[in-house]
Amino acid sequence: MRTFAAFAAFAFVAPAFAQVNSWNIDSSHSGAHFAVRHMMVSNVRGQFGKLSGTIEFDPKNLNGSKVNATIDVASINTQDQKRDEHLRSADFFDVAKFPTMTFVSKAIKPAGAGKLQMVGDLTMKGVTKEVVFDVEGPSPELVARGTARSGASATAKINRKDFGITWNRALDAGGVAVGDEVSITIDIEMVRKLPASN
């Protein structure tokens, strides 16, 4: 399934950034996507539509940059209502007990032209594990109507069982209904207000 920007989300290196800037994730233009193997034959994709958070970015000191993102787990959408209800249940995300998942960055470093590697803690279903995201971006900063916008994508792979999401069903022909490895893609659009000009 095509999902989870931590997730993200996140912090980006760009020559145009010349100081510490505080950004907000634009929830209406961001999403966490995921993909997982279904019945050993295809990938099922989905997304979490409600993603929010903040980014503090210092281009001269990546150690001082921070990302903090939150996903509303109930916003999961795989284009199948019955499946979405099952994913919200205790068999999977247990939304009643764990309504959100979070990502908090711990380290960000350059990883080539226009790329970063971001390490942080992903908390899902009450379990926190370190996850490494590969970040592409940001896009050139767009300034309009007193705001600046930029965007990037972050990708990672996790094992769902590491986070206590273990439900499965054996298939008569061999194999299982749901794969363990989940591919995550976080698409982020971030925005900040600019100081009023004199």
Side-chain angles (χ1 to χ4, degrees):
M1 307 173 212
R2 196 178 176 274
T3 139
F4 32 120
F7 122 206
F10 301 100
F12 319 108
V13 171
F17 297 167
Q19 60 184 9
V20 177
N21 286 321
S22 298
W23 301 81
N24 289 315
I25 294 173
D26 183 348
S27 298
S28 63
H29 297 102
S30 302
H33 314 275
F34 60 93
V36 65
R37 202 73 173 161
H38 177 245
M39 299 185 72
M40 316 297 289
V41 297
S42 66
N43 290 325
V44 171
R45 302 181 184 277
Q47 69 172 345
F48 297 93
K50 294 183 179 179
L51 170 65
S52 61
T54 59
I55 299 164
E56 300 288 335
F57 184 72
D58 182 351
K60 296 182 179 180
N61 178 21
L62 289 178
N63 290 329
S65 299
K66 299 177 182 179
V67 176
N68 193 321
T70 299
I71 290 172
D72 180 348
V73 183
S75 70
I76 193 168
N77 181 6
T78 65
Q79 305 300 318
D80 185 295
Q81 183 177 352
K82 186 175 180 180
R83 179 170 57 211
D84 293 345
E85 290 173 355
H86 191 198
L87 289 170
R88 294 186 188 104
S89 76
D91 282 345
F92 287 91
F93 291 104
D94 200 355
V95 170
K97 290 184 179 179
F98 307 102
T100 62
M101 66 177 77
T102 62
F103 177 83
V104 179
S105 66
K106 298 194 296 187
I108 301 170
K109 61 182 181 180
K115 297 181 179 181
L116 292 173
Q117 185 180 81
M118 180 171 59
V119 180
D121 286 333
L122 175 63
T123 300
M124 184 190 311
K125 203 176 181 180
V127 178
T128 300
K129 296 286 184 180
E130 186 176 274
V131 175
V132 179
F133 280 91
D134 295 319
V135 180
E136 291 192 6
S139 62
E141 188 173 319
L142 174 65
V143 176
R145 297 181 180 179
T147 63
R149 291 181 178 270
S150 186
S153 295
T155 59
K157 291 184 178 181
I158 63 170
N159 187 317
R160 64 188 180 92
K161 289 184 176 179
D162 291 343
F163 295 89
I165 301 176
T166 59
W167 184 92
N168 224 326
R169 185 179 68 246
L171 303 176
D172 292 341
V176 292
V178 183
D180 292 339
E181 185 178 82
V182 181
S183 298
I184 298 168
T185 301
I186 309 293
D187 293 315
I188 294 298
E189 184 170 316
M190 54 187 186
V191 60
R192 63 185 176 89
K193 291 185 177 180
L194 298 176
S197 58
N198 294 328

